[in-house]
Amino acid sequence: MQNNNNQTVVSIKDTAANPAPLGLLGFGLTTVLLNISNAGLIPMSAMILGMGIFYGGIAQIIAGIMEWKKNNTFAATAFTSYGMFWLVFVTIKTMPVLGLAAAPDGKALGAFLFMWGLFTFVMFIGTLRISRALQIVFGSLTILFMLLAIGDFTGNHSLINIAGYEGIFCGFSAIYTGLAQVINEVYGKEILPIGAMAKK
């Protein structure tokens, strides 16, 4: 079409799939499995670390890049950041075993987790304009990071176990939000509610 200055304006329709379910499921499934370990129900193993690298890490980064292409700053920042979190987490767990670096002490891990909790809290503020489902995901994730940070700072393993159960809830809330988007898109209507906020 042409604008008032007789210049041709080309509009390109975005037909790419919604990447948010991939990012939410990569985050959610990996978070549930890690926090089953934090709760003391299963040991830390290659299963969790493998999920951290590929589904929690790489899949979320891919989703973040796709969201960037869709001009979604919030989702691009969230998925890319949490994807990188999982890669850093796996690195922290494996480098000491490989003799490449010293294992971090409780204070170092506490500082690491506190900074992620602070980042997540600010992202939670953004969800107040998006949906109730994401508010639950980011709100419970903020609590999870802070509980884990305090647990590592103080050496209180009981608090880490409690955080594990809270983290299981957080992960399942992300799984629900991701699958709800898939099911709602397939059926062309809201089957599973996510509480989308009205745009002002």
Side-chain angles (χ1 to χ4, degrees):
M1 65 178 182
Q2 290 187 330
N3 60 18
N4 293 333
N5 297 323
N6 293 324
Q7 294 176 327
T8 301
V9 178
V10 178
S11 297
I12 300 175
K13 183 179 180 180
D14 183 1
T15 58
N18 177 12
L22 171 64
L24 286 163
L25 291 169
F27 170 81
L29 269 71
T30 312
T31 297
V32 168
L33 293 173
L34 172 62
N35 283 286
I36 291 175
S37 176
N38 284 336
L41 303 177
I42 61 172
M44 178 66 66
S45 68
M47 178 274 289
I48 296 172
L49 299 178
M51 283 287 289
I53 293 171
F54 293 101
Y55 204 33
I58 295 174
Q60 278 202 90
I61 292 169
I62 291 171
I65 293 170
M66 292 174 69
E67 291 283 14
W68 167 78
K69 188 71 170 64
K70 287 178 169 291
N71 197 31
N72 188 336
T73 302
F74 179 91
T77 303
F79 290 138
T80 306
S81 296
Y82 292 119
M84 290 296 183
F85 165 83
W86 282 109
L87 297 183
V88 172
F89 175 80
V90 173
T91 301
I92 289 172
K93 291 294 183 180
T94 56
M95 286 185 72
V97 176
L98 298 173
L100 299 175
D105 61 15
K107 290 183 179 179
L109 282 175
F112 170 73
L113 293 164
F114 174 80
M115 291 306 298
W116 278 101
L118 183 61
F119 166 76
T120 302
F121 174 72
V122 177
M123 295 297 284
F124 165 75
I125 295 172
T127 67
L128 300 177
R129 294 293 302 276
I130 304 174
S131 74
R132 297 295 186 196
L134 283 179
Q135 289 168 27
I136 293 171
V137 174
F138 280 81
S140 61
L141 182 58
T142 300
I143 294 170
L144 172 61
F145 276 129
M146 293 307 182
L147 287 175
L148 290 172
I150 295 170
D152 280 320
F153 272 131
T154 62
N156 188 335
H157 293 288
S158 295
L159 187 56
I160 292 174
N161 291 153
I162 293 170
Y165 287 101
E166 199 274 346
I168 293 170
F169 169 81
C170 174
F172 273 117
S173 71
I175 292 170
Y176 169 85
T177 305
L179 290 178
Q181 292 187 34
V182 173
I183 296 300
N184 293 345
E185 182 177 315
V186 168
Y187 282 88
K189 60 181 179 180
E190 188 174 75
I191 303 294
L192 298 175
I194 59 173
M197 306 302 292
K199 300 294 184 181
K200 295 182 180 180

